[in-house]
Amino acid sequence: MPILESGLRRQNIVLLLRALRDVPLTAHRTFRAHTGRRTFTVLGFESSADDTCAAVVTSSRQILSNVVVKQHDLHEGFGGIHPSVAIEAHQRNMPGAVRMALQQAHISIHDVDGIAFTRGPGIGGCLSVGSNAAKSLAAALGKPLVGVHHMQAHALTPLLTTPTADLPQFPFLTLLISGGHTLLLLASSLTSFQILATTADASIGRAFDKAARALGLSWGTRGPGAALEELCRMTNDELDSLPDIQPFTVPMPGKLAFSFASLQSSVDRYISLMEEPLSSSHKVALARAFQTAAARQLCAKLTLSLEKLELKGVNVRDVVVSGGVASNIFLRERLRAALDEYSSDERISLHFPPLELCTDNAAMIAWASMHRFLAGDYDDYTVDLRAKWSIEDIRV
């Protein structure tokens, strides 16, 4: 896409000029591993999909700022993320997001010790906006640079937000549920993840979005998946009697694999068989049936993975759930109940990021880079993007 690439280069120049306004250029720094005498401050960039994000985080687990610029209004008419629209919006929004992140953190660019960005996976052109901005800024200011795996950042967010006494301990299970991914992982360290289950087709977030569109829901300010969750929360007092909808089945029972396209097809098929337009009560009943089936599938695969790991002698006492869909309160409650039923004698801890850190953000990117900055393990300014990048290959 030569036109878009040209726009990205122009955007780098604009961002650089704005960020460097009134900042004197200095000689290139010689990087050394952080000695630990003071906190290390990271400016993070995230633009892998349709959220333009910048944040400032310190090694003492302080989130000094976390700016997220949404694009829901731009993409609702397309029924999903339109790549070129998202790229152009990132180009417009990134300079302001970076400036706001620094202002809200009450620091200048001089106070930043390192710059981190999402290297992948994601939409290639969208990744390029954050990547080019971060690399150009780091190179111009002589700051060390680290590229971060997007899903690793989601998985490690609870290590930033959970109270120190309750931090998840390795090995722990990680359930990453978002619009682009559905992954069940065994995390053995900050950089070692084994994929136990993934989706055979659509992600859970994509299924939520499609179900919301099938029901004719407006995206609102939080997106279609959140709109479906809100519909499910309507009280019965607000509705006529709800129709009885047979529970949707959990696909591939006994197998460590997800399938949410089949659940979405069940919703589409139900609607297609209706002789009249869906009433409000029917929409609520169908949304609840969908959400309940999605939760049952997550719970079934989670407990199955615990069973299989226990047979192998792997004792897991912590489960981390993150990604945009992890903000769904109903799913959180069902997962907690499933773990309590599975292990009633010894409680398995369940960890979620705060709601505002479930969806894409740059605070998680800055935090996921921290261990590398502190070890003096930096990327070259020419490091490439990886739009397709397995979490099992982080160090490759």
Side-chain angles (χ1 to χ4, degrees), residues 69-325:
V69 184
K70 298 287 187 180
Q71 300 180 15
H72 292 324
D73 57 328
L74 301 178
H75 301 286
E76 183 172 4
F78 298 104
I81 300 175
H82 191 294
S84 63
V85 173
I87 293 168
E88 291 168 359
H90 284 313
Q91 292 171 340
R92 290 192 302 272
N93 295 334
M94 188 61 80
V98 173
R99 179 177 291 277
M100 188 179 299
L102 293 172
Q103 289 176 342
Q104 291 182 1
H106 302 293
I107 65 172
S108 74
I109 194 65
H110 295 295
D111 301 312
V112 171
D113 298 303
I115 296 177
F117 69 98
T118 304
R119 186 183 174 195
I123 301 171
C126 293
L127 288 167
S128 294
V129 178
S131 167
N132 290 351
K135 290 193 287 187
S136 298
L137 194 59
L141 297 176
K143 305 284 187 181
L145 178 78
V146 168
V148 173
H149 192 289
H150 182 84
M151 303 313 294
Q152 176 198 24
H154 273 304
L156 298 182
T157 301
L159 298 182
L160 168 65
T161 60
T162 305
T164 304
D166 301 322
L167 286 174
Q169 302 297 312
F170 295 108
F172 59 77
L173 276 179
T174 298
L175 185 60
L176 300 180
I177 45 179
S178 69
H181 302 271
T182 307
L183 290 169
L184 186 56
L185 311 167
L186 179 64
S188 301
S189 72
L190 296 174
T191 58
S192 177
F193 297 88
Q194 178 188 352
I195 298 175
L196 302 179
T198 186
T199 178
D201 37 60
S203 70
I204 183 173
R206 184 169 179 81
F208 262 85
D209 293 350
K210 285 190 172 184
R213 288 196 294 273
L215 293 170
L217 303 182
S218 172
W219 284 28
T221 59
R222 294 176 54 207
L228 187 144
E229 179 189 4
E230 186 174 345
L231 179 67
C232 292
R233 284 202 296 263
M234 290 186 67
T235 64
N236 292 346
D237 293 340
E238 302 176 74
L239 303 161
D240 298 328
S241 60
L242 295 180
D244 184 29
I245 297 179
Q246 291 298 312
F248 299 129
T249 59
V250 173
M252 298 179 286
K255 183 178 180 180
L256 271 181
F258 297 101
S259 174
F260 289 97
S262 59
L263 177 55
Q264 171 56 37
S265 296
S266 297
V267 173
D268 292 338
R269 185 163 53 252
Y270 187 95
I271 293 175
S272 69
L273 295 175
M274 293 290 296
E275 296 180 356
E276 298 179 356
L278 291 176
S279 65
S280 296
S281 295
H282 227 127
K283 287 184 178 181
V284 171
L286 190 53
R288 288 179 181 176
F290 170 86
Q291 184 173 248
T292 299
R296 286 173 55 229
Q297 185 175 168
L298 291 180
C299 293
K301 306 304 182 181
L302 177 60
T303 54
L304 179 61
S305 68
L306 288 168
E307 291 173 2
K308 289 183 176 293
L309 288 172
E310 188 174 352
L311 290 174
K312 295 180 179 179
V314 180
N315 185 33
V316 172
R317 306 315 307 169
D318 293 274
V319 174
V320 167
V321 186
S322 56
V325 183

